Amino acid sequence: MPSKLKIPNFKIEDIEDMYTYYVMILKISEDVFWNADFSFLQSIVANKTAYDGFIQYSKYLQTKELGKKKR
């Protein structure tokens, strides 16, 4: 079973860091980044992280199932 998702522990010091993390790394829309309320942006990040974890775990289960079928 894969390990639990952990949000990277680094300090976001300025708007450039926030832009890089939210838009470039997490692929959140630039329009949302610039125009949404910060609390809304944080909830998007939490939901996206949960969804990405779900997808990653689903892929893990499929890979595990394929491994069983080959035996």
Coordinates of all heavy atoms in Angstrom, one line a residue:
M1 N 0.8 -1.2 0.0 CA 0.0 0.0 0.0 C 0.9 1.2 0.0 O 1.8 1.3 0.8 CB -0.9 0.0 1.2 CG -1.8 1.1 1.3 SD -3.0 0.7 2.7 CE -4.0 2.1 2.5
P2 N 0.6 2.2 -0.8 CA 1.4 3.4 -0.9 C 1.3 4.2 0.4 O 0.3 4.2 1.1 CB 0.9 4.2 -2.1 CG -0.5 3.7 -2.3 CD -0.5 2.3 -1.8
S3 N 2.3 5.0 0.7 CA 2.3 5.9 1.8 C 1.3 7.0 1.7 O 0.9 7.3 0.6 CB 3.7 6.5 2.1 OG 4.0 7.3 1.0
K4 N 0.8 7.5 2.8 CA -0.1 8.6 2.7 C 0.5 9.8 2.1 O 1.7 10.1 2.2 CB -0.6 9.0 4.1 CG -1.4 7.9 4.8 CD -1.9 8.3 6.1 CE -2.8 7.3 6.8 NZ -3.3 7.7 8.0
L5 N -0.3 10.6 1.4 CA 0.1 11.8 0.8 C 0.5 12.8 1.8 O -0.2 13.0 2.8 CB -0.9 12.5 -0.1 CG -1.2 11.8 -1.4 CD1 -2.3 12.5 -2.1 CD2 0.1 11.9 -2.3
K6 N 1.6 13.5 1.6 CA 2.1 14.5 2.5 C 2.3 15.8 1.7 O 2.9 15.8 0.7 CB 3.4 14.1 3.2 CG 3.2 12.9 4.1 CD 4.5 12.6 4.8 CE 4.3 11.3 5.6 NZ 5.5 10.9 6.3
I7 N 1.7 16.9 2.2 CA 2.0 18.1 1.6 C 3.4 18.6 1.9 O 3.8 18.5 3.0 CB 0.9 19.2 2.1 CG1 -0.5 18.8 1.7 CG2 1.3 20.6 1.5 CD1 -1.6 19.6 2.2
P8 N 4.1 19.0 0.9 CA 5.5 19.4 1.1 C 5.6 20.5 2.2 O 4.8 21.4 2.3 CB 5.9 20.0 -0.3 CG 5.0 19.5 -1.2 CD 3.7 19.2 -0.5
N9 N 6.6 20.3 3.0 CA 6.8 21.3 4.1 C 7.9 22.3 3.7 O 9.0 22.0 3.9 CB 7.2 20.5 5.4 CG 7.2 21.4 6.6 OD1 6.6 22.5 6.6 ND2 7.8 21.0 7.6
F10 N 7.4 23.3 3.1 CA 8.4 24.4 2.8 C 7.7 25.7 3.0 O 6.5 25.8 3.0 CB 8.9 24.3 1.3 CG 7.8 24.3 0.3 CD1 7.3 25.5 -0.2 CD2 7.3 23.1 -0.2 CE1 6.3 25.4 -1.2 CE2 6.3 23.1 -1.1 CZ 5.8 24.2 -1.6
K11 N 8.5 26.8 3.2 CA 7.9 28.1 3.5 C 7.7 28.9 2.2 O 8.6 29.0 1.4 CB 8.9 28.8 4.4 CG 8.4 30.1 5.0 CD 9.3 30.7 6.0 CE 8.7 31.9 6.6 NZ 9.5 32.5 7.7
I12 N 6.5 29.3 2.1 CA 6.1 30.2 1.0 C 6.3 31.6 1.5 O 5.6 32.1 2.3 CB 4.7 30.0 0.5 CG1 4.5 28.5 0.0 CG2 4.3 31.0 -0.6 CD1 3.2 28.2 -0.5
E13 N 7.3 32.3 0.9 CA 7.7 33.6 1.4 C 7.1 34.8 0.7 O 7.0 35.8 1.3 CB 9.3 33.7 1.4 CG 9.9 32.7 2.3 CD 11.4 32.8 2.2 OE1 12.0 33.6 1.5 OE2 12.1 32.0 3.0
D14 N 6.8 34.6 -0.6 CA 6.2 35.8 -1.3 C 5.3 35.3 -2.4 O 5.0 34.1 -2.6 CB 7.3 36.6 -1.9 CG 8.3 35.8 -2.7 OD1 8.0 34.8 -3.2 OD2 9.5 36.3 -2.9
I15 N 4.7 36.2 -3.1 CA 3.7 35.9 -4.2 C 4.3 35.1 -5.3 O 3.6 34.2 -5.9 CB 3.1 37.2 -4.7 CG1 1.8 36.9 -5.5 CG2 4.1 38.0 -5.6 CD1 0.7 36.5 -4.7
E16 N 5.6 35.2 -5.6 CA 6.2 34.4 -6.6 C 6.3 32.9 -6.2 O 6.0 32.0 -7.0 CB 7.7 34.9 -6.9 CG 7.7 36.2 -7.7 CD 7.8 37.4 -6.8 OE1 7.8 37.2 -5.5 OE2 7.7 38.5 -7.3
D17 N 6.5 32.7 -4.9 CA 6.5 31.3 -4.4 C 5.1 30.7 -4.5 O 4.9 29.6 -4.9 CB 7.0 31.3 -2.9 CG 8.4 31.6 -2.8 OD1 9.2 31.6 -3.8 OD2 8.9 31.9 -1.6
M18 N 4.1 31.5 -4.1 CA 2.7 31.1 -4.1 C 2.3 30.8 -5.6 O 1.7 29.7 -5.8 CB 1.8 32.1 -3.6 CG 1.8 32.3 -2.1 SD 0.7 33.5 -1.5 CE -0.9 32.8 -1.8
Y19 N 2.7 31.6 -6.5 CA 2.3 31.4 -7.9 C 3.0 30.1 -8.4 O 2.3 29.3 -9.1 CB 2.8 32.6 -8.8 CG 2.4 32.5 -10.2 CD1 1.2 32.9 -10.7 CD2 3.3 31.9 -11.1 CE1 0.8 32.7 -12.0 CE2 3.0 31.7 -12.4 CZ 1.8 32.2 -12.9 OH 1.4 32.0 -14.2
T20 N 4.2 29.9 -8.1 CA 4.9 28.7 -8.6 C 4.3 27.5 -8.0 O 4.0 26.5 -8.8 CB 6.4 28.8 -8.1 OG1 7.0 30.0 -8.7 CG2 7.2 27.6 -8.6
Y21 N 4.0 27.5 -6.7 CA 3.4 26.3 -6.1 C 2.0 26.0 -6.6 O 1.6 24.9 -7.1 CB 3.4 26.4 -4.6 CG 2.8 25.2 -3.9 CD1 3.4 24.0 -4.0 CD2 1.7 25.3 -3.1 CE1 2.9 22.9 -3.4 CE2 1.1 24.3 -2.5 CZ 1.7 23.0 -2.6 OH 1.2 21.9 -2.0
Y22 N 1.1 27.0 -6.6 CA -0.3 26.8 -6.9 C -0.5 26.7 -8.4 O -1.3 25.8 -8.9 CB -1.2 28.0 -6.4 CG -1.3 28.0 -4.9 CD1 -0.7 29.0 -4.2 CD2 -2.0 27.0 -4.3 CE1 -0.9 29.1 -2.8 CE2 -2.2 27.1 -2.9 CZ -1.6 28.1 -2.2 OH -1.7 28.1 -0.8
V23 N 0.1 27.5 -9.2 CA -0.2 27.5 -10.7 C 0.7 26.5 -11.4 O 0.3 25.7 -12.2 CB -0.1 28.9 -11.3 CG1 -0.3 28.9 -12.8 CG2 -1.1 29.8 -10.6
M24 N 2.0 26.6 -11.2 CA 3.0 25.8 -11.9 C 3.0 24.3 -11.5 O 3.1 23.4 -12.3 CB 4.4 26.4 -11.9 CG 4.4 27.9 -12.3 SD 3.9 28.1 -14.0 CE 5.3 27.6 -14.9
I25 N 3.0 24.1 -10.2 CA 3.2 22.8 -9.6 C 1.8 22.1 -9.5 O 1.6 20.9 -10.0 CB 3.9 22.8 -8.3 CG1 5.3 23.3 -8.5 CG2 3.9 21.4 -7.7 CD1 6.1 23.5 -7.2
L26 N 0.8 22.7 -8.9 CA -0.5 22.1 -8.7 C -1.4 22.3 -9.9 O -2.5 21.7 -9.9 CB -1.2 22.7 -7.4 CG -0.4 22.4 -6.1 CD1 -1.2 23.1 -5.0 CD2 -0.3 20.9 -5.9
K27 N -1.0 23.1 -10.9 CA -1.8 23.3 -12.1 C -3.2 23.9 -11.8 O -4.2 23.5 -12.5 CB -2.0 21.9 -12.9 CG -0.7 21.2 -13.2 CD 0.1 22.0 -14.2 CE 1.3 21.1 -14.6 NZ 2.4 21.9 -15.1
I28 N -3.3 24.8 -10.9 CA -4.5 25.5 -10.6 C -4.5 26.7 -11.6 O -3.5 27.3 -11.9 CB -4.5 26.0 -9.2 CG1 -4.7 24.8 -8.2 CG2 -5.7 27.0 -9.0 CD1 -4.6 25.2 -6.8
S29 N -5.7 27.0 -12.1 CA -5.9 28.0 -13.1 C -5.3 29.3 -12.7 O -5.5 29.7 -11.5 CB -7.4 28.2 -13.4 OG -7.7 29.4 -14.0
E30 N -4.6 30.0 -13.6 CA -4.1 31.3 -13.3 C -5.2 32.3 -12.9 O -5.0 33.1 -12.0 CB -3.2 31.8 -14.5 CG -2.4 33.0 -14.2 CD -1.4 33.3 -15.3 OE1 -1.2 32.5 -16.2 OE2 -0.9 34.4 -15.2
D31 N -6.3 32.2 -13.6 CA -7.4 33.1 -13.4 C -7.9 32.9 -11.9 O -8.2 33.8 -11.2 CB -8.5 32.8 -14.4 CG -9.7 33.7 -14.2 OD1 -9.5 35.0 -14.1 OD2 -10.9 33.2 -14.2
V32 N -8.1 31.6 -11.5 CA -8.5 31.4 -10.1 C -7.5 31.9 -9.1 O -7.8 32.5 -8.1 CB -8.7 29.8 -9.9 CG1 -8.9 29.5 -8.5 CG2 -9.9 29.4 -10.8
F33 N -6.2 31.7 -9.4 CA -5.1 32.1 -8.5 C -5.2 33.6 -8.3 O -5.1 34.1 -7.1 CB -3.8 31.8 -9.1 CG -2.6 32.3 -8.2 CD1 -2.2 31.6 -7.1 CD2 -1.9 33.4 -8.6 CE1 -1.2 32.1 -6.3 CE2 -0.9 33.9 -7.8 CZ -0.5 33.2 -6.7
W34 N -5.4 34.4 -9.3 CA -5.4 35.9 -9.2 C -6.7 36.4 -8.7 O -6.7 37.5 -8.1 CB -5.0 36.5 -10.5 CG -3.6 36.3 -10.9 CD1 -3.1 35.6 -11.9 CD2 -2.4 36.8 -10.1 NE1 -1.7 35.6 -11.9 CE2 -1.3 36.3 -10.8 CE3 -2.2 37.5 -9.0 CZ2 0.0 36.6 -10.4 CZ3 -0.9 37.8 -8.6 CH2 0.2 37.3 -9.3
N35 N -7.8 35.7 -8.9 CA -9.1 36.3 -8.7 C -9.9 35.7 -7.5 O -10.9 36.3 -7.1 CB -10.0 36.3 -9.9 CG -9.4 37.2 -11.0 OD1 -9.0 38.3 -10.8 ND2 -9.2 36.6 -12.2
A36 N -9.5 34.6 -7.0 CA -10.3 33.9 -6.0 C -9.8 34.4 -4.6 O -8.7 34.8 -4.4 CB -10.2 32.4 -6.1
D37 N -10.7 34.3 -3.6 CA -10.4 34.5 -2.3 C -9.4 33.5 -1.8 O -9.4 32.3 -2.2 CB -11.7 34.4 -1.4 CG -11.4 34.7 0.0 OD1 -10.9 35.8 0.3 OD2 -11.8 33.9 0.9
F38 N -8.5 33.9 -0.9 CA -7.4 33.0 -0.5 C -8.0 31.7 0.2 O -7.4 30.6 0.0 CB -6.4 33.7 0.5 CG -5.3 32.8 0.8 CD1 -4.3 32.5 -0.1 CD2 -5.1 32.4 2.1 CE1 -3.2 31.7 0.3 CE2 -4.0 31.6 2.5 CZ -3.1 31.3 1.6
S39 N -9.0 31.8 1.0 CA -9.6 30.7 1.7 C -10.2 29.7 0.6 O -10.1 28.5 0.8 CB -10.6 31.1 2.7 OG -11.7 31.7 2.1
F40 N -10.8 30.2 -0.4 CA -11.3 29.4 -1.5 C -10.1 28.7 -2.2 O -10.2 27.5 -2.5 CB -12.1 30.2 -2.5 CG -12.6 29.5 -3.6 CD1 -13.7 28.6 -3.5 CD2 -12.1 29.6 -4.9 CE1 -14.2 27.9 -4.5 CE2 -12.6 28.9 -6.0 CZ -13.7 28.0 -5.8
L41 N -9.0 29.4 -2.4 CA -7.9 28.8 -3.1 C -7.3 27.7 -2.2 O -6.9 26.6 -2.8 CB -6.8 29.9 -3.3 CG -5.6 29.5 -4.1 CD1 -6.0 29.1 -5.5 CD2 -4.6 30.7 -4.2
Q42 N -7.3 27.8 -0.9 CA -6.8 26.8 0.0 C -7.7 25.6 -0.1 O -7.2 24.4 0.0 CB -6.7 27.3 1.4 CG -5.5 28.2 1.6 CD -5.4 28.7 3.0 OE1 -6.4 29.1 3.6 NE2 -4.2 28.7 3.5
S43 N -9.0 25.8 -0.2 CA -9.9 24.6 -0.3 C -9.8 23.9 -1.6 O -9.9 22.7 -1.6 CB -11.4 25.1 -0.1 OG -11.8 25.9 -1.1
I44 N -9.5 24.6 -2.7 CA -9.2 24.0 -3.9 C -7.9 23.1 -3.8 O -7.9 22.0 -4.3 CB -9.0 25.0 -5.1 CG1 -10.3 25.7 -5.4 CG2 -8.4 24.4 -6.3 CD1 -10.2 26.8 -6.3
V45 N -6.9 23.6 -3.2 CA -5.7 22.8 -3.0 C -6.0 21.6 -2.2 O -5.5 20.5 -2.5 CB -4.6 23.7 -2.3 CG1 -3.4 22.8 -1.9 CG2 -4.1 24.8 -3.2
A46 N -6.7 21.7 -1.1 CA -7.0 20.5 -0.3 C -7.8 19.5 -1.1 O -7.5 18.3 -1.0 CB -7.9 20.9 0.9
N47 N -8.8 19.9 -1.9 CA -9.6 19.0 -2.7 C -8.8 18.4 -3.8 O -8.9 17.2 -4.1 CB -10.8 19.7 -3.3 CG -11.9 20.0 -2.2 OD1 -12.0 19.3 -1.3 ND2 -12.5 21.1 -2.4
K48 N -7.9 19.2 -4.4 CA -7.0 18.6 -5.5 C -6.1 17.6 -4.9 O -5.8 16.6 -5.6 CB -6.3 19.8 -6.2 CG -5.4 19.3 -7.3 CD -4.9 20.4 -8.1 CE -4.0 19.9 -9.3 NZ -3.7 18.6 -9.5
T49 N -5.5 17.9 -3.8 CA -4.6 16.9 -3.1 C -5.3 15.6 -2.8 O -4.8 14.5 -3.1 CB -4.0 17.5 -1.9 OG1 -3.4 18.8 -2.2 CG2 -3.0 16.6 -1.2
A50 N -6.5 15.7 -2.3 CA -7.3 14.5 -2.0 C -7.6 13.7 -3.3 O -7.5 12.5 -3.4 CB -8.6 14.8 -1.3
Y51 N -8.0 14.4 -4.4 CA -8.3 13.8 -5.7 C -7.1 13.1 -6.2 O -7.2 12.0 -6.7 CB -8.9 14.8 -6.6 CG -9.2 14.3 -8.0 CD1 -10.3 13.5 -8.2 CD2 -8.3 14.5 -9.1 CE1 -10.6 12.9 -9.4 CE2 -8.6 14.0 -10.3 CZ -9.7 13.2 -10.5 OH -9.9 12.7 -11.7
D52 N -6.0 13.8 -6.2 CA -4.7 13.3 -6.8 C -4.3 12.0 -6.0 O -3.9 11.0 -6.6 CB -3.6 14.3 -6.7 CG -3.8 15.4 -7.7 OD1 -4.6 15.3 -8.6 OD2 -3.0 16.4 -7.6
G53 N -4.6 12.0 -4.7 CA -4.3 10.8 -3.9 C -5.2 9.7 -4.2 O -4.7 8.5 -4.3
F54 N -6.4 10.0 -4.5 CA -7.4 8.9 -4.9 C -7.0 8.3 -6.2 O -6.9 7.1 -6.4 CB -8.8 9.5 -5.0 CG -9.8 8.6 -5.7 CD1 -10.3 7.6 -5.1 CD2 -10.1 8.8 -7.1 CE1 -11.2 6.7 -5.7 CE2 -11.0 8.0 -7.7 CZ -11.6 6.9 -7.0
I55 N -6.6 9.2 -7.2 CA -6.1 8.7 -8.5 C -4.9 7.8 -8.4 O -4.8 6.8 -9.0 CB -5.9 9.8 -9.5 CG1 -7.2 10.6 -9.8 CG2 -5.2 9.4 -10.8 CD1 -8.3 9.7 -10.5
Q56 N -3.9 8.3 -7.6 CA -2.7 7.6 -7.4 C -3.0 6.2 -6.7 O -2.4 5.2 -7.1 CB -1.8 8.4 -6.5 CG -0.4 7.8 -6.3 CD 0.5 8.7 -5.5 OE1 0.1 9.7 -4.9 NE2 1.8 8.4 -5.5
Y57 N -3.8 6.2 -5.8 CA -4.2 4.9 -5.1 C -4.9 4.0 -6.1 O -4.6 2.8 -6.1 CB -5.0 5.1 -3.8 CG -5.2 3.9 -3.0 CD1 -4.1 3.2 -2.4 CD2 -6.5 3.3 -2.9 CE1 -4.3 2.1 -1.7 CE2 -6.7 2.1 -2.2 CZ -5.6 1.5 -1.6 OH -5.8 0.4 -0.9
S58 N -5.8 4.5 -6.9 CA -6.5 3.7 -7.9 C -5.5 3.0 -8.9 O -5.6 1.9 -9.2 CB -7.5 4.5 -8.7 OG -8.5 5.0 -7.8
K59 N -4.5 3.8 -9.3 CA -3.5 3.3 -10.2 C -2.7 2.2 -9.5 O -2.3 1.2 -10.1 CB -2.6 4.4 -10.7 CG -3.2 5.3 -11.7 CD -2.3 6.5 -12.1 CE -3.0 7.4 -13.1 NZ -2.1 8.5 -13.5
Y60 N -2.4 2.4 -8.3 CA -1.6 1.4 -7.5 C -2.4 0.1 -7.4 O -1.8 -1.0 -7.6 CB -1.4 2.0 -6.1 CG -0.9 0.9 -5.1 CD1 0.4 0.4 -5.1 CD2 -1.8 0.4 -4.2 CE1 0.8 -0.5 -4.2 CE2 -1.4 -0.6 -3.3 CZ -0.1 -1.0 -3.3 OH 0.3 -2.0 -2.4
L61 N -3.7 0.2 -7.1 CA -4.5 -1.0 -7.1 C -4.6 -1.7 -8.4 O -4.6 -2.9 -8.5 CB -5.9 -0.7 -6.6 CG -6.1 -0.2 -5.1 CD1 -7.5 0.1 -4.8 CD2 -5.6 -1.3 -4.2
Q62 N -4.7 -1.0 -9.5 CA -4.8 -1.6 -10.8 C -3.4 -2.3 -11.1 O -3.4 -3.4 -11.7 CB -5.0 -0.5 -11.9 CG -6.4 0.0 -11.9 CD -6.7 1.1 -12.9 OE1 -5.7 1.7 -13.5 NE2 -7.9 1.5 -13.0
T63 N -2.3 -1.6 -10.8 CA -1.0 -2.3 -11.0 C -0.9 -3.5 -10.2 O -0.4 -4.5 -10.7 CB 0.1 -1.3 -10.6 OG1 -0.1 -0.1 -11.4 CG2 1.5 -1.8 -10.9
K64 N -1.4 -3.5 -9.0 CA -1.3 -4.6 -8.1 C -2.1 -5.8 -8.6 O -1.7 -6.9 -8.7 CB -1.8 -4.2 -6.7 CG -1.6 -5.3 -5.6 CD -2.0 -4.7 -4.3 CE -2.0 -5.8 -3.2 NZ -2.4 -5.3 -1.9
E65 N -3.3 -5.4 -9.2 CA -4.2 -6.4 -9.7 C -3.6 -7.1 -11.0 O -3.7 -8.3 -11.2 CB -5.6 -5.8 -10.1 CG -6.6 -6.8 -10.4 CD -7.0 -7.8 -9.3 OE1 -6.9 -7.4 -8.2 OE2 -7.4 -8.9 -9.7
L66 N -3.0 -6.2 -11.8 CA -2.3 -6.8 -13.0 C -1.2 -7.7 -12.7 O -1.0 -8.7 -13.3 CB -1.8 -5.6 -13.9 CG -2.9 -4.8 -14.7 CD1 -2.2 -3.6 -15.3 CD2 -3.6 -5.7 -15.7
G67 N -0.5 -7.4 -11.6 CA 0.6 -8.3 -11.1 C 0.1 -9.6 -10.7 O 0.7 -10.6 -10.9
K68 N -1.1 -9.7 -10.1 CA -1.7 -10.9 -9.7 C -2.1 -11.8 -10.9 O -2.0 -13.0 -10.9 CB -2.9 -10.7 -8.8 CG -2.6 -10.2 -7.4 CD -3.8 -10.1 -6.6 CE -3.6 -9.6 -5.2 NZ -4.8 -9.3 -4.4
K69 N -2.6 -11.1 -11.9 CA -3.1 -11.8 -13.1 C -2.0 -12.5 -13.9 O -2.1 -13.5 -14.6 CB -3.9 -10.9 -14.0 CG -5.2 -10.5 -13.4 CD -6.0 -9.6 -14.4 CE -7.4 -9.3 -13.8 NZ -8.1 -8.4 -14.7
K70 N -0.8 -11.9 -13.8 CA 0.4 -12.4 -14.6 C 0.9 -13.7 -14.0 O 1.6 -14.4 -14.6 CB 1.5 -11.3 -14.7 CG 1.1 -10.2 -15.6 CD 2.3 -9.2 -15.8 CE 1.9 -8.1 -16.7 NZ 3.0 -7.2 -16.9
R71 N 0.7 -13.9 -12.7 CA 1.2 -15.0 -12.0 C 0.6 -16.3 -12.4 O -0.3 -16.7 -12.8 CB 1.2 -14.8 -10.5 CG 2.1 -13.7 -10.1 CD 2.1 -13.6 -8.6 NE 2.9 -12.4 -8.3 CZ 3.0 -12.0 -7.1 NH1 2.4 -12.5 -6.1 NH2 3.8 -11.0 -6.8

